[in-house]
Amino acid sequence: EPEVTQTPSHQVTQMGQEVILRCVPISNHLYFYWYRQILGQKVEFLVSFYNNEISEKSEIFDDQFSVERPDGSNFTLKIRSTKLEDSAMYFCASSEGGIPYYEQYFGPGTRLTVT
Amino acid sequence: AQSVTQLGSHVSVSEGALVLLRCNYSSSVPPYLFWYVQYPNQGLQLLLKYTTGATLVKGINGFEAEFKKSETSFHLTKPSAHMSDAAEYFCAVTQGHGGATNKLIFGTGTLLAVQP
């Protein structure tokens, strides 16, 4: 069964460094998302991406964050200058169409630790 | 603004016992409601969803949930727990009825343990 994959599974970085989290969505999907979960807190929506542009973003997704689909298979989340509070599990998701009629398929997540 | 509250961050049941995971939502518009499950080292997987119509929704692995508008609830149940049900369960809501969003709003999750 097709699945969303994410790399790396765990990333440790120092405060102020740039990180890129990578995702490979399911191949025929058109909508892409990033969510994150800070330990002990809710899973939070960051951004959705469709037709090569951001379609929706949350207040968390400030100028330090960016997303890109550099080729036909990858979808990346970049954090330009990481802060301690960026430490979280980051989930990528993709869907064939919009909810609720199309399921969002989630990857296993990348745990980002900022020291 | 929409929100979801899951009562009980940890629930433990015996194998064969009823599973009840609670979810209450807040929404100013008719919602769409979802339950997701996450097994260790895997992504969130959709268990079931409520959009419109029948308020009792059946999902995978024998789970079901009932949308109760009067109680703003969408509790997840399974009549008989199996060891393989041990996982974390997330309730989520999004704006229904033509709302132009694909954003899911999640609760904090409930970790279900199943004792032999």
Side-chain angles (χ1 to χ4, degrees):
Chain A
E1 184 177 329
E3 58 183 15
V4 176
T5 59
Q6 291 185 243
T7 54
S9 56
H10 191 190
Q11 173 98 42
V12 181
T13 189
Q14 290 190 325
M15 197 166 49
Q17 295 296 305
E18 174 184 287
V19 294
I20 297 176
L21 309 182
R22 301 181 192 280
C23 168
V24 179
I26 295 173
S27 62
N28 65 330
H29 285 189
L30 302 175
Y31 293 75
F32 313 107
Y33 315 86
W34 284 100
Y35 292 81
R36 78 172 187 189
Q37 185 180 28
I38 295 171
L39 192 63
Q41 298 185 26
K42 301 184 178 190
V43 176
E44 302 170 291
F45 169 82
L46 293 178
V47 66
S48 60
F49 190 85
Y50 170 69
N51 201 25
N52 280 320
E53 61 182 26
I54 290 173
S55 49
E56 191 173 4
K57 62 182 181 180
S58 72
E59 58 274 11
I60 302 168
F61 195 87
D62 60 21
D63 293 344
Q64 291 300 312
F65 291 88
S66 62
V67 289
E68 193 178 33
R69 187 153 163 83
D71 51 42
S73 59
N74 290 283
F75 179 53
T76 62
L77 174 69
K78 182 194 290 186
I79 310 175
R80 289 194 222 311
S81 177
T82 50
K83 306 181 184 70
L84 293 176
E85 54 265 36
D86 293 328
S87 294
M89 181 72 90
Y90 288 80
F91 295 104
C92 174
S94 69
S95 65
E96 201 175 341
I99 54 175
Y101 303 108
Y102 294 91
E103 179 181 344
Q104 288 186 16
Y105 290 81
F106 284 77
T110 292
R111 179 162 297 285
L112 176 65
T113 302
V114 183
T115 61
Chain B
Q2 295 175 303
S3 66
V4 168
T5 302
Q6 291 184 243
L7 281 177
S9 58
H10 291 78
V11 169
S12 182
V13 300
S14 299
E15 193 173 17
L18 171 72
V19 175
L20 170 60
L21 304 182
R22 298 179 187 274
C23 173
N24 288 90
Y25 70 90
S26 171
S27 179
S28 57
V29 297
Y32 295 139
L33 293 157
F34 307 80
W35 274 100
Y36 278 82
V37 61
Q38 186 181 28
Y39 300 101
N41 301 315
Q42 295 186 28
L44 283 75
Q45 179 185 3
L46 182 66
L47 266 181
L48 49 79
K49 64 184 179 185
Y50 168 78
T51 54
T52 57
T55 56
L56 182 63
V57 179
K58 295 187 185 301
I60 61 172
N61 302 337
F63 284 93
E64 61 184 37
E66 187 169 10
F67 171 61
K68 291 187 177 180
K69 185 179 177 182
S70 61
E71 298 177 10
T72 60
S73 69
F74 191 56
H75 301 330
L76 182 71
T77 60
K78 182 173 180 177
S80 176
H82 193 273
M83 298 295 289
S84 60
D85 295 327
E88 189 155 23
Y89 292 80
F90 295 90
C91 183
V93 65
T94 192
Q95 185 176 329
H97 294 272
T101 179
N102 288 307
K103 174 175 68 177
L104 290 169
I105 298 167
F106 285 91
T108 48
T110 298
L111 190 61
L112 176 67
V114 181
Q115 308 299 329

